[in-house]
Structures are given as structure tokens and as C-alpha cells.
Amino acid sequence: MRTILHIIRKEFLQLKRDPKMFAIVLIAPVIQLIFLGYAVNTDVEKVPTVIFDQNRTVSSRDLLQKFSGNRYFEFVDQVDNYNDFQSLIESGEAWLGIVIPYDFEKSIERNETTELQAIFDGSDGNKASIIAGYLQKLITDYSVELLDLKMKKYGKFQTPISTVEPEIRAWYNPELETRVYMVPGIVGLLLSVITLILTSLAIVKERELGTLEQIIVTPIKPTQLIIGKLIPFAILGFVAVTVVLIAMTFIFDLPPRGSTPLLLTSTLLYTLSTLGLGLFVSTISKTQQQAMMLAIFVVLLPMIFLSGFAFPIENMPQVIQGITYAIPLRYFMTIIRGIILKGIGVSELWFELSMLLAMGVFVLILSSLRFRKRMD
Amino acid sequence: MLFRIKAIAKKEIKQLLRDKRMMFVLFFFPVFLLVIFGYAVNYDVQNVRLAVLDNDKTSLSREFVNGISSSSYFKIVETYNRNQRTKEILDNGIAKGVLIIPKYFSREIYKAKETVKIQFLLDGVDGNSALIIQNYSNAAVQTFNKKLLSEAYAKAGIKNNYPVDLVPRYWFNPNLETTVYLIPGLIALILIVTVVITVSLSLVREKERGTIEQINVSSLTEIELIIGKLIPYVIISFLSSAMVLAASFVLFSVVVKGSYLLLFFTIFLFLIASTALGIFISVVSDSQQVAFSIATFASMLPATILSGFIFPIESMPVIIQISTNITPARYFIVALRDIIIKGVGLSAFWEQWVYLLIFAFFFLAASTIINKKKILEA
């Protein structure tokens, strides 16, 4: 036991000797958090739109009025030929182009259906489909308005039937702010970076410098060494998470709705897995450079993409969804978002919590065994 | 001069080839990431799990629910009767949305007095998906309304067509596949991380080991050293990029619509800019661990979050938009998207080339200045 404490002290002393490391480890997460919280925004508004009005009548101008009143669209230009229309979209100055056909007004008066062409810059498919949604609503509302007016003109009767209006409310995140989704996820992300990469690096550094060999000849047992080496990084991870949570509460106004002790316990459970993985990476790397490359490309990046951090798991193909069950970060993401945003607790999250515990223990034991083998 | 550069390059290549694990990572993993990325990453929201609470239970309300379930937008996973269950469903994530039809739905519609309100409650945690689901809900209701209206008019014998139909066309990416939009960003990420980390580490390692002193006393100039060290990494980066593009073509049918020559030059400029950043990091770091931490945070995270890779720069607050200039990936991605997705020529993105060069010069100059200062101090 005392041996372990000594090793822990030694690790912290080594870290202190390198203040740059400390700064990076503690301050960088907060800075990143601030950036991420504000930078990240997939909300679509003020879409630059170019208009090609081939009709130029009261009716077409009426339609255009609907756009200028709408906060989702912003007119960039009104052109009178197709070439200009095309080049504005190709250059990216306009994301959306609307063509009002030359017989727009006549069609409406004759009770015919007229076609309004909308050209979207489809490069960003996600953005394009969101814009399409807004546009569709605008046009539909306009059509219903026209129908209503016609009915009143007939004077004979009112619209024979009522229409349905959806009242849409988003729970947990009423303003649908993207950062509400992202910021809690960043806790998981930064924790992974710190506990996984720093751990593997610290161990491999000793191997590189040769000091690991020296430790092997001492009577220190491998288990003690492992525990002693991992605990400092667990503590660092905890500190980082706490700092991030405080930043989230006061800078982003996102205090955890659920239980903070549960949150910290989950952090501990998750750290078991990342420390284990860091340990594992250290056993298969000879140099720090290798460890870093492996940690980033083989472990971290796939984990980020498959954990639900930026891309929702529901949208992935079934096969890939199956694979995500093997990724500890996936469960941690659900837990973090659940506690911070939904305010749920153990009764809803028991599955994720048990999986984290099981995986953490499993990975740690496996890596420790491998580490011990290599030390003998 | 060329002779000395070749000598350094050969030494770097030999060191690199000896490191089998690095080779593995540098060659295999870009494609591995692409695969994960391409298949996993998808903003297309389909088959949204929906739960329905139908308080009306008439043929009209059932028609409405059927209309929703038959579209590919929603998948009805549960119909329930107690209102208390609503919170359970959303809290536990059983469904992403809940549709609540009020008790006198059918009656109110035929009364024709006011619009009839129905409730859609969404899990708003994932704001982006929730936004899309919101659009789907609107679209589903409007489809139903359209049907209601035309049936009613037809019965009343009035010819009243729906006045305006929207005909959408999606340029550059007709099927709105999200993958193709993300590929340039993926290439940028892989390249910048590889180059910045390996360059900074390689130089710092020589500093740590003291071999840099040996180089200092040789007749090698700084520029020759840098160029020589870079050549292997540049070659590998090109090979990596080629592999990612080839894999994207095979797996996701991504075709480079524009000029390969422009693509080549753009990548080359980007590599120069990334290298400059790597050199700068090596100059300000004393140990490999420090170099690595700075390199990671300076390359990977900005390239993922600030470069326009996933999150559009236009949607960011102005202050953040300015800060996106710390990563050359930002310019690279714009140019790459123009070439690959839109197929346009240099006139559309020549500014990005200029920015990349400015970036490179800035960091190389900064490195030289700081390096000289450090040597003077020592």
C-alpha cells in the first residue's frame, strides 16, 4: 500500500516538473470547451437566397414578401437571367435559388397548380434538407392562404373543413440549441483524451528512457506499479471533468439537472476503461510516437465517431450500431447527456452503468495481465 | 544542396521504414477511418421512433396515424393510453418523439371552425436531429391537410387545386448524401494530424537526443534540413490521400468532379502549411511529451471542430469565425469541396491557396525568430 502511494507521489512530482504539461492538461480542456460550446452550431438561419422572378407581377411580389418576412431566408440578389442565377449558386454566394415561372399569376387565377423551382446547394446534404423543410412550410402556408382567399371570393361558403396544426415542443432542450447536445459530450471527449493518451505516454516514456527496467529490478510488484501509475491520471481526469462541469454551469448555463454524485461515479467507471486502454496501448508501443499514433488513430478517433458524440447512433446502419455496443464511450455519452440534460438517474441508466463497470473491469484486467507478462 | 537534402531524406525514410508500426498506422488507418466514417456518419434521419397516444380513436385519427407510419420518416414503436407514460417514453429513450392526438380531433375537424391542434413532443437533446424531426412532423401534417382539403373540395364540387407546388432540385449532390460532404474534411484531418505530429516529434526528438547538435555543426543549412526531413512525410501524405480518395470511390462512389492537378497542388500547399505548424511546435517544445500534447490540441481538435469539417463556419459567432484561422484545414476544406463536390475551377477558390501560403510563411517566420532567440539565450 505504501509502495503504491510512493509511486503516485513520484508520478505527480514528475508531472509538476513539467508545468507546460499541467497547463495543457488542465487549461486546454476548458479553452476547447468554450470554443466548442460556441462554435458548434448546426442551426440554419438567414439562408442566402437568389431569386429569378420570371413573372414580375403583384402575385409574385406577394410571394417574395413572404420570404423577406421570414428569418430563415435572406435575399442575396434578384437576377433576370439564368447564367447569373447559376454562377451565384456555384460560387457559394447563394445556397438556395428560387425560380418563379413566367405564368405564375395566370396559373393561380386559372386555378391550376403552378410549379416553383427551388435549387439547393446540395453539398451539405444535412443543411439542404433542413432548408428544404423550411421552404416547404413557407410554400404550403402560402398555398393555404391563397386557397382561403379564393374561398372568401366565392363567398358561397367557408373552407369546408378544418386543417390540422402541429404544436411541436422539444423536451430537455426547447430552443434546440446544438451546443446543448455537444457540450456535455465534450466532457466525455476530453476525459478520453486525457486519461487514455497521457497514461499510455507516461508508461511508454519510462520504457523509452529505460527507467522501467530499473523499476522491474526493484521489489515493487507489477500490480502495485500499475495501480500507482494509473491513479494519478484518474485523479487528473477527475479534476479536468470537475473543471469542465463548473465551466459548463457558469459559462454555458448548463447545470446538471440530475445527480452530480452519479455523474462523478460514472466518470470513475468510464475512466476504468480508458485507463485500461491506455495501459494496453503502452504494452504494444515501443516509442512515445507510436503510442500517440496508435492511441489517436486506432482508439480515439473511432471512439469519437462511433460513440454518438457528433453523429447520432440512430442514423447509422444496423451493423455499425451493433459495433457501437463495444465502445465504452457510447454508454458514457448516454449517461452524461441523460444526467445533465434529461435529469434522469440510475433507474433509467442502470444498463449503461453496468456495461461501463463490466467493460472497465474487463479491459483493466486484460491489460494488466498483458503488462505483467511483458515485465517478466 | 540537392545532395544534402537527398541524404537527409534518405535517412528519414530509412528510420521510418524501420518503424513498422508507424507504417501500419500511416497507411492502413486513413482508410480504416474512412470506412467507419463513411458508413457510420450520417445525418440522414429516417425511421424516427415515434410513440402515439390517440385520445380520439376515430377512423379519421387512425387515418392520420396511418399516414404517418406509412411514410419512411417515422416508425411507430408503441401506441399507448395513459398520459403518464409519455415522460417514461422520452426519459428512457424508447421513442424520439411522441404524437398526442386530442380527444375531439375528428369532431373538431368536421366542425370547420378553427384549426385543430395536435401535439408533437420531441426528444430535443440532439438539436440537429430534433430540427429535422420537426420538419418531418410539419411535412406529415401538411400532407394530411392537403388530402383533407382536396377531398373536401372534391366532395363540394369545387375545382380548387393546390396553388403552388415546390419542385426541389439538389445541385452537386442530388441524393443528398452526407458522406461526400465529409470526405474533404476527413482527408484534412488525417493529413494535418499526421504531418503536424510527426514533424514536431521528429524535430523535438533530435533536440532531445542531442543529435540536433550534430546537424548544427554539419554543413547543413536549416532549410535543407527541413526539406529533407519533410520529403518522406510529404510522399506518405500523398499516398494516404490517394488511398482515401480511391477508397471513397470504391465504397461510396465519390468522384472527383474537378481537376486532379488542382487537387494535387491544393494538397501540396496544405502539407506545407501543416509542416510550418509542426516546425513551430517543435521550436516551442522542449520534450516530446509537450510537443505531442500541443500538436494534438493544435491540430486534431481545431481540425475537427473549427475547420468546417462537421460544423459549418457560417453558423458560428463572428469571434469564433475569426479564430478558425488557426487551422489551415479550414482553407483546405473549402478548396477541396470546390474541387471534389462542385467541380469548379481555380477562380472559385484561389484565395484559399493564398491563405495557405500566408499561413505557412507566418509560422515559418515565427519559428525562425523564436529559434534564434532561444539559441541566443542558450
Side-chain angles (χ1 to χ4, degrees):
Chain A
M1 189 58 211
R2 262 196 18 230
T3 337
I4 297 181
L5 283 175
H6 280 311
I7 302 178
I8 296 180
R9 244 185 73 203
K10 160 186 144 315
E11 281 301 316
F12 274 121
L13 280 174
Q14 274 185 320
L15 282 172
K16 254 209 294 197
R17 225 176 280 157
D18 215 344
K20 270 191 199 159
M21 279 300 296
F22 237 31
I24 294 169
V25 163
L26 288 182
I27 300 184
V30 176
I31 297 184
Q32 296 287 346
L33 182 67
I34 297 181
F35 269 116
L36 291 168
Y38 285 115
V40 161
N41 189 359
T42 49
D43 304 337
V44 178
E45 258 181 37
K46 294 220 196 100
V47 173
T49 312
V50 57
I51 307 284
F52 184 13
D53 186 353
Q54 294 176 334
N55 190 228
R56 291 175 180 277
T57 56
V58 175
S59 304
S60 69
R61 274 191 283 275
D62 205 26
L63 173 62
L64 291 180
Q65 271 288 78
K66 300 274 171 244
F67 279 92
S68 29
N70 189 313
R71 76 176 204 260
Y72 294 122
F73 302 101
E74 192 174 88
F75 286 158
V76 154
D77 207 351
Q78 192 156 343
V79 298
D80 55 8
N81 68 82
Y82 193 71
N83 278 332
D84 288 347
F85 183 74
Q86 190 172 357
S87 56
L88 276 175
I89 299 182
E90 276 181 356
S91 70
E93 276 171 71
W95 297 352
L96 170 67
I98 310 258
V99 181
I100 304 182
Y102 68 95
D103 57 354
F104 185 65
E105 193 167 59
K106 271 205 214 115
S107 278
I108 296 183
E109 282 169 1
R110 273 191 256 153
N111 258 341
E112 287 165 2
T113 309
T114 181
E115 285 187 349
L116 194 75
Q117 264 194 53
I119 311 284
F120 298 87
D121 180 340
S123 313
D124 182 352
N126 184 51
K127 203 157 63 177
S129 60
I130 293 179
I131 300 175
Y134 293 145
L135 186 60
Q136 182 64 66
K137 179 151 205 308
L138 188 148
I139 300 295
T140 311
D141 285 347
Y142 177 68
S143 294
V144 170
E145 219 181 85
L146 283 181
L147 279 176
D148 244 7
L149 279 172
K150 292 252 194 75
M151 286 285 90
K152 296 211 169 79
K153 261 208 277 193
Y154 273 115
K156 284 192 199 165
F157 43 165
Q158 310 165 325
T159 329
I161 209 164
S162 284
T163 47
V164 183
E165 192 182 308
E167 232 176 35
I168 305 180
R169 271 197 345 251
W171 277 19
Y172 317 123
N173 177 13
E175 305 296 317
L176 288 188
E177 291 168 324
T178 327
R179 59 185 177 85
V180 166
Y181 179 63
M182 290 285 162
V183 169
I186 289 160
V187 172
L189 189 65
L190 289 170
L191 187 63
S192 312
V193 170
I194 293 174
T195 52
L196 209 150
I197 299 186
L198 287 189
T199 312
S200 61
L201 274 189
I203 301 178
V204 175
K205 183 171 179 194
E206 296 227 26
R207 181 172 302 145
E208 256 187 355
L209 291 175
T211 53
L212 202 62
E213 294 239 345
Q214 296 177 334
I215 297 186
I216 295 179
V217 265
T218 68
I220 294 182
K221 296 204 214 102
T223 325
Q224 292 174 323
L225 177 63
I226 292 175
I227 299 181
K229 272 206 153 296
L230 293 186
I231 288 188
F233 293 104
I235 297 180
L236 266 183
F238 249 97
V239 173
V241 167
T242 316
V243 169
V244 167
L245 283 178
I246 295 178
M248 264 203 318
T249 310
F250 293 111
I251 301 182
F252 291 110
D253 201 21
L254 272 180
R257 288 211 185 114
S259 142
T260 313
L262 182 61
L263 192 59
L264 291 174
T265 316
S266 326
T267 309
L268 180 65
L269 289 178
Y270 176 61
T271 321
L272 293 177
S273 308
T274 49
L275 289 176
L277 284 171
L279 186 61
F280 186 75
V281 167
S282 76
T283 62
I284 53 179
S285 316
K286 286 206 212 111
T287 68
Q288 288 188 61
Q289 201 170 353
Q290 279 179 5
M292 297 182 240
M293 281 280 150
L294 277 172
I296 291 189
F297 279 117
V298 181
V299 183
L300 205 64
L301 279 182
M303 263 175 61
I304 294 176
F305 291 135
L306 294 179
S307 64
F309 166 57
F311 307 109
I313 296 184
E314 289 92 29
N315 303 347
M316 302 181 191
Q318 289 296 91
V319 176
I320 309 273
Q321 285 199 33
I323 298 180
T324 63
Y325 281 105
I327 299 183
L329 188 55
R330 175 218 163 98
Y331 303 106
F332 189 57
M333 283 290 168
T334 312
I335 294 176
I336 275 222
R337 288 191 177 127
I339 298 181
I340 296 182
L341 299 173
K342 287 186 178 182
I344 53 183
V346 181
S347 44
E348 290 93 351
L349 293 169
W350 61 268
F351 174 63
E352 284 82 5
L353 288 165
S354 353
M355 283 306 287
L356 270 190
L357 179 61
M359 291 178 89
V361 169
F362 179 67
V363 172
L364 260 183
I365 293 184
L366 218 69
S367 322
S368 309
L369 286 175
R370 195 187 150 89
F371 186 73
R372 287 171 65 169
K373 244 179 74 180
R374 301 209 73 207
M375 280 189 58
D376 304 325
Chain B
M1 169 163 118
L2 272 174
F3 167 70
R4 291 194 286 259
I5 293 182
K6 237 175 69 177
I8 293 277
K10 260 166 73 179
K11 158 182 146 319
E12 281 297 315
I13 293 181
K14 280 216 187 107
Q15 276 187 323
L16 213 57
L17 285 177
R18 232 178 276 154
D19 193 345
K20 292 217 169 52
R21 286 198 185 88
M22 279 290 282
M23 293 274 93
F24 189 59
V25 170
L26 286 174
F27 279 109
F28 178 66
F29 279 101
V31 179
F32 173 66
L33 277 184
L34 173 70
V35 169
I36 292 185
F37 214 92
Y39 284 119
V41 162
N42 204 343
Y43 277 129
D44 309 332
V45 179
Q46 275 183 357
N47 291 323
V48 177
R49 284 172 289 131
L50 189 72
V52 179
L53 172 56
D54 186 352
N55 286 318
D56 193 40
K57 296 207 214 303
T58 57
S59 61
L60 191 64
S61 71
R62 273 192 282 272
E63 200 183 306
F64 182 58
V65 174
N66 278 336
I68 292 190
S69 67
S70 60
S71 76
S72 63
Y73 295 147
F74 293 108
K75 187 170 82 172
I76 298 187
V77 292
E78 184 176 317
T79 39
Y80 62 105
N81 296 310
R82 299 178 307 123
N83 203 14
Q84 297 91 317
R85 177 114 177 100
T86 307
K87 185 171 193 304
E88 273 169 36
I89 292 181
L90 285 175
D91 274 352
N92 280 301
I94 295 177
K96 282 275 166 202
V98 163
L99 166 64
I100 302 182
I101 302 181
K103 192 146 186 253
Y104 297 114
F105 179 67
S106 187
R107 201 180 73 180
E108 293 297 315
I109 288 198
Y110 288 122
K111 252 207 219 157
K113 280 240 174 82
E114 315 169 315
T115 55
V116 180
K117 294 200 171 56
I118 54 166
Q119 272 197 334
F120 266 101
L121 299 174
L122 305 174
D123 180 336
V125 168
D126 176 3
N128 190 52
S129 294
L131 200 60
I132 296 179
I133 299 176
Q134 213 178 40
N135 284 341
Y136 287 172
S137 315
N138 275 323
V141 169
Q142 274 149 30
T143 314
F144 182 69
N145 281 339
K146 229 170 157 175
K147 212 167 65 149
L148 269 187
L149 281 174
S150 36
E151 275 172 8
Y153 284 135
K155 253 203 254 171
I158 310 173
K159 175 186 183 223
N160 220 348
N161 288 330
Y162 218 65
V164 186
D165 238 354
L166 191 67
V167 178
R169 280 212 326 266
Y170 302 99
W171 278 8
F172 315 130
N173 180 11
N175 297 322
L176 287 187
E177 285 153 6
T178 343
T179 316
V180 69
Y181 184 66
L182 296 166
I183 300 249
L186 183 65
I187 297 180
L189 179 66
I190 293 172
L191 289 184
I192 199 176
V193 169
T194 316
V195 170
V196 171
I197 292 183
T198 46
V199 166
S200 58
L201 281 185
S202 166
L203 286 173
V204 172
R205 201 173 357 165
E206 303 235 13
K207 235 193 331 191
E208 262 184 2
R209 296 221 189 110
T211 51
I212 204 142
E213 294 298 332
Q214 298 173 333
I215 296 179
N216 281 339
V217 290
S218 74
S219 53
L220 211 56
T221 64
E222 271 171 25
I223 301 181
E224 289 167 348
L225 172 67
I226 291 174
I227 298 181
K229 270 190 161 292
L230 288 186
I231 290 181
Y233 295 112
V234 169
I235 299 178
I236 294 177
S237 301
F238 271 113
L239 289 176
S240 271
S241 318
M243 281 198 331
V244 171
L245 285 172
S248 337
F249 174 66
V250 168
L251 296 171
F252 307 113
S253 311
V254 171
V255 171
V256 174
K257 289 211 186 109
S259 142
Y260 278 97
L261 193 61
L262 289 178
L263 186 65
F264 180 84
F265 267 120
T266 311
I267 295 182
F268 185 63
L269 284 178
F270 180 59
L271 291 177
I272 295 182
S274 309
T275 307
L277 188 57
I279 294 177
F280 181 72
I281 294 177
S282 75
V283 164
V284 303
S285 313
D286 297 314
S287 75
Q288 283 191 59
Q289 215 171 357
V290 172
F292 179 65
S293 308
I294 301 183
T296 309
F297 280 116
S299 66
M300 185 165 87
L301 288 171
T304 314
I305 293 149
L306 295 176
S307 64
F309 172 26
I310 305 172
F311 312 115
I313 297 183
E314 304 87 29
S315 311
M316 300 180 190
V318 179
I319 309 177
I320 310 273
Q321 283 195 31
I322 299 177
S323 73
T324 62
N325 288 309
I326 60 171
T327 178
R330 178 208 201 284
Y331 312 116
F332 181 59
I333 290 180
V334 172
L336 220 59
R337 280 188 180 137
D338 276 352
I339 300 176
I340 297 181
I341 305 178
K342 289 189 181 172
V344 295
L346 192 55
S347 52
F349 58 84
W350 61 270
E351 298 134 329
Q352 312 305 323
W353 279 17
V354 172
Y355 294 140
L356 282 173
L357 281 170
I358 296 179
F359 187 91
F361 273 129
F362 175 74
F363 276 101
L364 281 174
S367 312
T368 324
I369 297 176
I370 297 186
N371 203 25
K372 290 228 169 74
K373 251 183 77 179
K374 279 199 170 175
I375 294 181
L376 283 175
E377 281 170 11

